[in-house]
Amino acid sequence: MHLANLLNRKIVVLGPRLFGGDGHHQDKLETATLVGVDPAGIWIESEEAANRLAERFRVKPAAPSAFFIPFAQ
């Protein structure tokens, strides 16, 4: 399977909760839209992660927000 075939589709990401800030490091399934693929990782859009990050820093979330997830994570 080539990740590039899944561009602009919803995918499930398993890893540390994106910007959870709850102090727990347990893996969690999250849904996100795949918006890019690099040799070192993937770019995703996640409204839920953007909202958590905005809440954590008490700012208004930017829409859409893309996040880079390295393959090493």
Side-chain angles (χ1 to χ4, degrees), residues 4-64:
N5 292 340
L6 301 174
L7 285 175
N8 300 313
R9 297 185 65 188
K10 289 280 187 188
I11 62 170
V12 177
V13 180
L14 174 64
R17 183 175 172 187
L18 295 174
F19 310 112
D22 59 5
H24 296 100
H25 297 288
Q26 294 181 337
D27 288 346
K28 180 178 188 291
L29 288 173
E30 302 226 16
T31 59
T33 302
L34 181 65
V35 294
V37 179
D38 283 356
I42 59 174
W43 287 92
I44 62 168
E45 283 183 358
S46 170
E47 185 175 336
E48 184 179 336
N51 288 337
R52 282 196 301 264
L53 183 62
E55 183 179 307
R56 181 174 175 188
F57 291 101
R58 295 186 176 102
V59 297
K60 182 179 178 183

